[in-house]
Amino acid sequence: MGLDWNAPVDPSFPSFADGETMALTNQPPDLLPGTLDMLILRALTRGAMHGYGIAERLRQVSEDVLQVGESSLYPALQRLLLNGWVKAAWGASENNRRARYYTLTAAGKKRLESERQEFQKLVVAIQRVLEGA
Amino acid sequence: MRRFFRRLNYLFRQRQREAELADEMEAHRAMKEADLRRAGVQPAEARWESRRALGNSALACEDARQVWLAPWLESVWQDASYACRMLRRSPTFAASMIIVTALGIGATLGVFSLIVGLVLKPLPVREPDRLVYLSRPSFSYPVFTELSTRGSHIFSSLIAWNIEREYVQWNTELEPTEVLMASGAFYSTLGVHASLGRTFTEADDVIGGASDGLVAVISHSAWQRRFGGDPGVIGRTIRIRRQPFTIVGVAPREFFGVAPGLAPELTIPLTVLERERLASRTSSWLHLLARLDEGLTIPEADAALQTVWRSVLEVTTNPGMPAERRAMYLSRTTSLQSARAGYSRVRNQFEEPLWVLLALVALLLIVATASAANLLLARGAARGREFAVRLAIGAGRRRLLRQVMTEAFVWTLLGALAGLIIATWTSGTLVNMMSTWDNPIVLNVVPDWRLVVSAVGLAMLTAVTCAILPALRTTHVEAGATLKEFGQIRGRLTTGWSSSKSLVTVQVGLTVLLLFGAALFGRSLHTILSQDAGFTPEGLTVVGLEAGEAGYEGARLTSFYETVLERLGSTPGVQSASLSKYPPISDEDGAWTQSIGVDGAAVQMDAARSVHFNAVTPGYFRTTGMRLLQGRDFSTQDRVGAERVVIVSESLARVFFPGENPLGRLISIGRSESRRDLVIVGIVGNSKYQRLTEPPRSIAYLPCAQVQDLIEGDELFVEVRSTSGATLTADTIRRQLRALDARVPIRIQTIAERMRASLVKERVITTIAMSLGVAALILACAGVYGLLAYIVSRQTDEIGLRLALGADRTQMLWLVMRQSLVLAGAGILIGLAASLALGQFARNLLFQVSGTDVFALGIAAVVMLVVALAAGFFPARRAANVDPLIALRAE
């Protein structure tokens, strides 16, 4: 559930729509930092992207479900840089703005694979518990 | 790890990176805003929305920074800068910590760097691990050539070398210079190339030289010192033994030869000078060094050597050798040792004392660490409140511990850096002390990266050791209790044991151990010096003359020396002069030993019947002050053609003629045709021959005139006794001799100087041990004083209370002194126990003093006790002078 872009919103009041309670800022579903890293790496498999691009991509593909505060993207990107899973380079964006582009490295690809497998195992395990126990 | 380096990278460019991140996030926001505007949102609205979507960018920046700077890195940096700030705020504390650490670490590093340079450092040559030397120190030239052929499957290359002092004419004057004589393959075996010109090769190592004539290579330092680094030095001529040598090359800067501690300025091929020695099968004057064949390990090579060694010996025996002698020759063994660090007499002489010294210095380091720990403890108690507050607002105990450790490390690191300076000074001083005129020691002890790394390592070790106890104690603070009652840490004046007290006790114990060492070596040296040398050292000067160098030989040589004696004998201020082959206390000038036969019996090759010989002129005994016990001195009648005579020492008479009168009896030297029978005409008192530390020797004196063939060509020594009261200077003697013939090289030393030089090893170790003892004593004294002063200051209120309740001031004094006594007593007991246990290790270095010398133990204990009591006296006096009114008012 995202904010309705087409209607102006008064910032001082919490808005209510369709009987759903919403706080001033949306509470996204809890996302572990490791998972966020994995998603960013996945997003980068399509090619180099800058931070905004990654955020938009994640939002689009997940159909607005995953909306991390866009600023939490940046600590995650720094973490990926520290571990050598992505590389960063300054370049020109679509509207000729200066933006920093992130590329997946070989180590990053490997990391993505292993994280994917781990996540898969986790999901399967949770499902089993929910259905079976 | 790559991550660590990325972090470091970030650290260096932190500000730039953070600015970039802020830019990036701003660009992100701008893109979002643009998108929103495109979607139709109002500009102001879009801007606000984009900002909201981005979320808390300040927090993001913070988190990003946290990713890079691991939390511990940041807090360590914080602690370190706090420690530095504290340096400025409490300079005395900082200064004490730094001085104490510098002393301990500096002294240790100084001795250690000397050990590294002399004992451990590999030679600056190609693959030093493949080099070996033969352990029997010297060999003859025939053995060398034989082994070269027979050992070709063991060694890829074998070289022979020797370092001798020669008189070299660099410019116009003859100068004594250390010259390295090496076989032709020397440089190629070591893999050393000249830095200028060329080195010599096997082609140059032939008698008379090759196409370039006689060639020489000079050392880098000689090139700098004597020729100012002039490239035109190639082709210059110098003279050795009046033969011209052409300088063909300069060695690389870091190459000093194969003998650590010696740095010969000149290297010449082996065969060019010493023709007679090359052929001699009996003269063992060469050291052998080899590079092992590929793939051989040292034990394998050693085994292979043993199989060929016997045949090498058999081929090189003297054909005319009698059977007994031959058997002895063939039984000489040798083995291969690693020559990675070269081979040198200096090392053999000083290695053991240096290790002992290292042990002593390590003790000092421990004492210094204990002092540092005590300082930290005291400091920690003063900061109790600060830690209590921090604990109360949520700091983890581990965090506080880390802080104390980091601070300690900052101080010890600064101390270690200061210690590097002390280390350089220490090793330089040690080298100076170990060098004598006869044996100059050249060692490069400039700190290199290895030393710096050890300094840092030691600093860390010291920090951890000295900080761990105070850290644990300090951070174990009951926050609540301390905040309420700080300033009134309860504890009684006569309280039991505390860690501070244990530390001070340990300090005292170690100081006693060091004092014991100092006393031991001091006593040993004193015993050596107070021995009866057998002659009168005062007023005696020794002049070494090598007339052979200036071209004298045969009859001219004899008359020259006679003229010298006359001239010196008639110089004002000279009581008498004489000549001898070996001077009293010959030390490095060598010794002449031979076996003798008694009363016409054959000469036995028996070590127990080996006698020291010397050749002297008439008047020798009078000049040196030796006692003539029986018979007569030599006279001018004892010359060639007359009866062969000999004068023997007391112990020779006792050993070879027990209970009888030896006058008139015969002793003989030499075998078969070279045998001489000598008539004993006099007995003199015992005297020291080579060193002051030698056991009593049997000595026989021969008249110079009758043994000229044996002594010709060598350096001879003139003993000059000055008349009592007159001061005879070396210059006077030099002037007299120069007037005779300025070309003859001379060296002048008083007997006192000779004796000092012969005891260099003992003097060095004694001086160091005493310095260490004094240093430790100061540290321990400060420790005792500091602790007691601290206790008294904390207990002023209790003292005031006691005084108010009627206690006597003397009782207060005694209360504190008793503490001091207990501390000192416990420490002294520990120290004495350690001394008894460890004293035996110094046995080899002591002269007629046992490792458990009671006198030394007593001195150490008494000195420590007195100093400790004196240190305790001042706080005790302060305690006694407490004004109860003032003390209680503060309650």
Side-chain angles (χ1 to χ4, degrees):
Chain A
M1 256 94 354
L3 285 173
D4 189 357
W5 288 121
N6 294 322
V9 174
D10 187 342
S12 41
F13 296 108
S15 48
F16 296 85
D18 299 332
E20 282 175 357
T21 317
M22 283 187 288
L24 189 63
T25 48
N26 261 341
Q27 209 63 303
D30 280 349
L31 208 54
L32 300 166
T35 326
L36 178 58
D37 289 358
M38 186 178 64
L39 296 175
I40 296 176
L41 287 176
R42 178 70 179 91
L44 287 176
T45 53
R46 294 295 195 86
M49 270 193 264
H50 51 58
Y52 181 55
I54 298 174
E56 277 301 286
R57 175 143 207 92
L58 289 180
R59 197 178 63 84
Q60 283 166 14
V61 172
S62 71
E63 288 171 23
D64 283 358
V65 171
L66 298 175
Q67 282 194 57
V68 289
E70 283 163 11
S71 58
S72 18
L73 207 57
Y74 286 92
L77 284 168
Q78 298 293 309
R79 202 162 40 239
L80 295 177
L81 273 176
L82 171 65
N83 284 296
W85 297 323
V86 301
K87 275 192 308 228
W90 284 96
S93 74
E94 302 87 35
N95 13 3
N96 259 335
R97 281 200 140 81
R98 210 168 95 96
R100 211 160 175 219
Y101 280 84
Y102 293 87
T103 343
L104 197 58
T105 63
K109 275 199 202 106
K110 264 189 267 180
R111 174 78 181 177
L112 176 59
E113 267 320 297
S114 67
E115 282 293 287
R116 246 184 132 140
Q117 285 169 14
E118 281 304 309
F119 188 72
Q120 202 58 22
K121 274 194 228 159
L122 187 65
V123 164
V124 165
I126 293 175
Q127 275 192 308
R128 272 208 211 115
V129 169
L130 288 177
E131 287 164 16
Chain B
M1 265 238 302
R2 256 170 295 178
R3 280 207 334 182
F4 181 67
F5 286 116
R6 283 190 203 117
R7 277 194 217 267
L8 276 185
N9 201 353
Y10 180 83
L11 200 63
F12 284 136
R13 304 222 197 91
Q14 189 177 351
R15 226 165 277 188
Q16 179 193 0
R17 294 290 198 97
E18 286 180 3
E20 278 181 0
L21 187 62
D23 274 348
E24 208 179 330
M25 300 218 291
E26 175 56 29
H28 179 122
R29 192 207 59 75
M31 282 192 252
K32 182 98 186 183
E33 182 183 342
D35 270 358
L36 287 175
R37 285 231 279 226
R38 236 175 296 140
V41 181
Q42 296 300 314
E45 185 60 39
R47 195 172 303 133
W48 180 83
E49 182 52 42
S50 62
R51 223 179 279 150
R52 194 201 68 92
L54 195 61
N56 191 344
S57 60
L59 192 61
C61 283
E62 184 69 34
D63 286 342
R65 191 188 310 141
Q66 288 290 59
V67 165
W68 286 100
L69 301 176
W72 61 263
L73 194 66
E74 191 163 15
S75 55
V76 162
W77 183 248
Q78 261 183 332
D79 293 340
S81 33
Y82 184 70
C84 291
R85 265 178 292 150
M86 200 188 298
L87 271 178
R88 262 174 295 165
R89 269 187 296 146
S90 354
T92 29
F93 170 69
S96 330
M97 278 292 282
I98 294 179
I99 289 179
V100 158
T101 322
L103 214 67
I105 294 185
T108 313
L109 281 181
V111 176
F112 186 62
S113 75
L114 206 59
I115 290 184
V116 163
L118 197 60
V119 176
L120 298 176
K121 201 156 155 194
L123 290 175
V125 300
R126 177 171 61 92
E127 289 178 40
D129 299 298
R130 303 297 299 161
L131 293 175
V132 291
Y133 69 89
L134 272 74
S135 63
R136 185 174 207 87
S138 9
F139 303 85
S140 64
Y141 190 76
V143 168
F144 164 59
T145 42
E146 197 54 41
L147 194 56
S148 303
T149 28
R150 284 178 193 261
S152 53
H153 62 287
I154 314 174
F155 314 119
S156 67
S157 178
L158 183 71
I159 52 181
W161 61 276
N162 192 18
I163 297 181
E164 290 191 347
R165 171 166 296 184
E166 296 284 341
Y167 286 94
V168 174
Q169 187 175 350
W170 290 92
N171 278 316
T172 47
E173 268 217 7
L174 284 175
E175 262 188 70
T177 312
E178 303 283 325
V179 176
L180 171 65
M181 297 180 207
S183 57
F186 183 70
Y187 288 104
S188 56
T189 308
L190 295 175
V192 171
H193 304 287
S195 66
L196 191 69
R198 69 170 181 93
T199 58
F200 60 74
T201 60
E202 282 164 299
D204 298 294
D205 190 19
V206 291
I207 295 185
S211 52
D212 281 335
L214 304 177
V215 296
V217 175
I218 60 175
S219 73
H220 199 270
S221 62
W223 181 44
Q224 295 294 326
R225 246 180 356 107
R226 294 179 185 270
F227 299 99
D230 175 21
V233 71
I234 309 290
R236 289 265 276 263
T237 312
I238 55 171
R239 282 176 186 277
I240 309 177
R241 299 197 200 166
R242 281 163 292 129
Q243 296 199 57
F245 281 76
T246 319
I247 299 178
V248 292
V250 177
R253 181 192 296 271
E254 65 284 348
F255 183 69
F256 56 85
V258 292
L262 299 171
E265 291 183 277
L266 208 54
T267 311
I268 60 177
L270 196 58
T271 52
V272 301
L273 274 187
E274 301 270 13
R275 276 182 224 205
E276 309 80 35
R277 276 218 219 167
L278 295 180
S280 159
R281 288 166 188 255
T282 49
S283 182
S284 303
W285 59 293
L286 293 169
H287 304 294
L288 296 183
L289 193 80
R291 182 175 285 279
L292 287 180
D293 245 353
E294 284 302 311
L296 273 184
T297 62
I298 295 184
E300 286 171 8
D302 197 12
L305 177 69
Q306 300 306 326
T307 55
V308 300
W309 181 241
R310 174 96 187 180
S311 47
V312 167
L313 283 179
E314 278 177 358
V315 170
T316 56
T317 49
N318 221 349
M321 220 185 265
E324 205 180 274
R325 191 101 184 260
R326 195 182 142 89
M328 216 178 76
Y329 183 74
L330 289 177
S331 66
R332 297 163 113 207
T333 54
T334 185
S335 66
L336 289 179
Q337 308 284 336
S338 165
R340 186 170 166 269
Y343 168 82
S344 98
R345 180 190 31 83
V346 174
R347 182 203 298 158
N348 294 346
Q349 197 184 357
F350 285 106
E351 186 174 355
E352 193 183 349
L354 277 180
W355 285 113
V356 170
L357 221 50
L358 189 67
L360 290 178
V361 138
L363 284 178
L364 183 69
L365 181 61
I366 299 180
V367 172
T369 309
S371 299
N374 245 344
L375 280 170
L376 281 176
L377 265 181
R379 189 81 186 166
R383 287 168 76 188
R385 191 194 181 98
E386 172 198 334
F387 286 131
V389 169
R390 291 178 68 177
L391 279 173
I393 55 175
R397 188 156 164 228
R398 213 175 289 179
R399 174 79 184 81
L400 291 183
L401 270 174
R402 202 168 59 210
Q403 174 173 0
V404 178
M405 294 288 216
T406 315
E407 288 171 1
F409 182 47
V410 167
W411 292 315
T412 52
L413 194 63
L414 287 174
L417 292 177
L420 275 177
I421 302 176
I422 295 186
T424 318
W425 178 84
T426 308
S427 44
T429 313
L430 274 177
V431 169
N432 277 343
M433 285 176 83
M434 298 191 318
S435 287
T436 55
W437 188 90
D438 275 343
N439 305 303
I441 297 184
V442 179
L443 211 55
N444 185 11
V445 284
V446 169
D448 61 352
W449 64 267
R450 266 181 287 248
L451 204 64
V452 177
V453 166
S454 340
V456 173
L458 263 183
M460 273 171 59
L461 189 65
T462 317
V464 168
T465 322
C466 78
I468 199 153
L469 193 60
L472 286 172
R473 298 290 317 305
T474 312
T475 56
H476 187 65
V477 190
E478 291 264 343
T482 315
L483 282 174
K484 275 187 283 178
E485 306 178 19
F486 188 79
Q488 301 169 18
I489 293 180
R490 283 283 166 242
R492 293 184 10 251
L493 195 60
T494 54
T495 199
W497 224 237
S498 77
S499 16
S500 284
K501 289 192 179 174
S502 324
L503 280 174
V504 172
T505 313
V506 165
Q507 263 186 298
V508 169
L510 288 173
T511 308
V512 166
L513 186 58
L514 283 174
L515 286 175
F516 174 64
L520 268 186
F521 291 119
R523 274 208 80 194
S524 169
L525 191 62
H526 178 79
T527 314
I528 298 175
L529 290 175
S530 56
Q531 280 185 104
D532 180 16
F535 56 88
T536 319
E538 295 80 30
L540 195 60
T541 310
V542 168
V543 185
L545 288 171
E546 277 206 72
E549 284 291 321
Y552 288 92
E553 46 190 10
R556 281 186 63 222
L557 187 67
T558 323
S559 66
F560 173 74
Y561 280 120
E562 280 172 9
T563 325
V564 166
L565 280 181
E566 267 175 44
R567 182 66 86 86
L568 284 178
S570 55
T571 307
V574 172
Q575 186 176 339
S576 63
S578 68
L579 193 75
S580 67
K581 167 108 178 73
Y582 292 99
I585 314 292
S586 62
D587 195 28
E588 294 291 328
D589 288 311
W592 171 13
T593 53
Q594 272 193 267
S595 306
I596 62 170
V598 172
D599 276 338
V603 175
Q604 306 287 349
M605 305 288 296
D606 188 352
R609 306 202 132 239
S610 165
V611 167
H612 279 63
F613 277 82
N614 201 352
V616 301
T617 57
Y620 173 79
F621 304 110
R622 200 172 10 106
T623 310
T624 52
M626 286 171 67
R627 306 184 308 276
L628 183 64
L629 299 173
Q630 275 187 292
R632 64 171 179 85
D633 191 3
F634 294 131
S635 68
T636 44
Q637 305 301 324
D638 301 308
R639 54 169 183 269
V640 180
E643 192 183 31
R644 291 185 188 275
V645 292
V646 64
I647 296 178
V648 300
S649 70
E650 214 181 330
S651 46
L652 190 151
R654 225 170 333 119
V655 168
F656 289 88
F657 303 95
E660 303 159 350
N661 185 0
L663 287 181
R665 304 283 286 271
L666 289 176
I667 62 175
S668 21
I669 54 174
R671 306 178 112 209
S672 337
E673 307 87 40
S674 50
R675 172 164 154 168
R676 304 178 192 207
D677 291 323
L678 312 158
V679 181
I680 301 178
V681 295
I683 308 179
V684 288
N686 287 328
S687 80
K688 297 286 177 185
Y689 188 99
Q690 195 169 14
R691 287 182 228 280
L692 285 170
T693 50
E694 66 187 23
R697 297 209 187 280
S698 303
I699 310 180
Y701 300 90
L702 301 170
C704 275
Q706 288 186 345
V707 291
Q708 274 176 1
D709 51 327
L710 292 178
I711 64 176
E712 178 161 302
D714 292 332
E715 186 182 16
L716 293 184
F717 293 88
V718 175
E719 292 80 27
V720 179
R721 174 165 294 284
S722 55
T723 50
S724 48
T727 42
L728 188 66
T729 60
D731 277 339
T732 320
I733 300 179
R734 204 188 300 271
R735 245 180 298 127
Q736 291 289 334
L737 292 174
R738 284 242 176 281
L740 266 182
D741 188 342
R743 289 172 307 149
V744 175
I746 57 177
R747 52 175 171 127
I748 307 181
Q749 262 180 316
T750 63
I751 279 283
E753 283 167 7
R754 282 194 80 89
M755 283 163 67
R756 274 220 350 263
S758 75
L759 290 174
V760 67
K761 196 171 82 167
E762 289 80 1
R763 279 192 304 120
V764 165
I765 203 170
T766 307
T767 312
I768 308 276
M770 293 207 167
S771 319
L772 290 179
V774 167
L777 196 61
I778 295 177
L779 285 175
C781 176
V784 169
Y785 171 79
L787 181 64
L788 287 176
Y790 176 70
I791 291 180
V792 166
S793 70
R794 290 253 149 258
Q795 307 304 333
T796 34
D797 44 344
E798 180 192 335
I799 298 173
L801 195 63
R802 284 181 184 242
L803 286 174
L805 291 179
D808 199 347
R809 286 197 185 271
T810 344
Q811 273 181 311
M812 288 297 103
L813 191 84
W814 172 238
L815 216 56
V816 179
M817 286 300 280
R818 201 174 64 184
Q819 298 267 297
S820 170
L821 216 80
V822 166
L823 274 178
I828 290 176
L829 281 176
I830 296 178
L832 288 179
S835 303
L836 281 172
L838 299 175
Q840 46 164 330
F841 290 108
R843 223 173 342 140
N844 290 346
L845 299 165
L846 298 172
F847 182 74
Q848 291 181 0
V849 173
S850 93
T852 55
D853 188 43
V854 176
F855 190 61
L857 285 173
I859 289 187
V862 166
V863 168
M864 188 69 244
L865 189 65
V866 166
V867 167
L869 287 179
F873 177 70
F874 294 97
R877 206 176 49 161
R878 203 180 327 145
N881 291 339
V882 163
D883 185 347
L885 284 176
I886 299 179
L888 290 175
R889 199 181 303 147
E891 182 97 16

